[in-house]
């Protein structure tokens, strides 16, 4: 999904970097809600992979640039 959004120019690595703090808080809340037990270890077991996926998406957005727009008037 991040690859597609980055190609379209809707998502950039700078945007993801600026909102990293908020994303980590949202991921922690989501992990706390999704886990079936109130145990902190289970929450961390879900939170860490989610955080890694966020960072991988950031790297993908950094590597992928939006496709250049073709100028239709030149044709």
């Amino acid at each position: 999904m991040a690859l597609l959004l980055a190609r379209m120019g809707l998502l950039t690595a700078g945007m993801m970097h600026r909102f990293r703090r908020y994303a980590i808080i949202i991921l922690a809340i989501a992990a706390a809600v999704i886990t079936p037990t109130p145990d902190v270890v289970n929450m961390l077991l879900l939170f860490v992979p989610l955080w890694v996926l966020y960072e991988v998406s950031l790297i993908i957005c950094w590597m992928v640039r939006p496709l250049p727009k073709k100028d239709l008037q030149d044709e």
Side-chain angles (χ1 to χ4, degrees):
M1 185 59 92
L3 177 67
L4 179 65
L5 291 174
R7 278 284 188 191
M8 292 178 6
L10 298 175
L11 184 66
T12 63
M15 286 172 52
M16 291 186 73
H17 181 69
R18 280 193 308 270
F19 293 111
R20 181 182 283 161
R21 290 183 210 165
Y22 304 113
I24 290 173
I25 291 172
I26 291 169
L27 291 174
I29 291 170
V33 169
I34 293 171
T35 53
T37 62
D39 187 16
V40 176
V41 175
N42 284 332
M43 187 189 94
L44 286 175
L45 287 174
L46 184 61
F47 170 73
V48 172
L50 290 174
W51 188 16
V52 169
L53 285 173
Y54 183 83
E55 296 298 329
V56 168
S57 296
L58 191 144
I59 292 169
I60 288 172
C61 286
W62 178 72
M63 292 173 57
V64 175
R65 304 286 187 247
L67 292 175
K69 295 180 182 178
K70 293 182 181 179
D71 192 10
L72 297 176
Q73 295 176 353
D74 291 340
E75 294 179 4

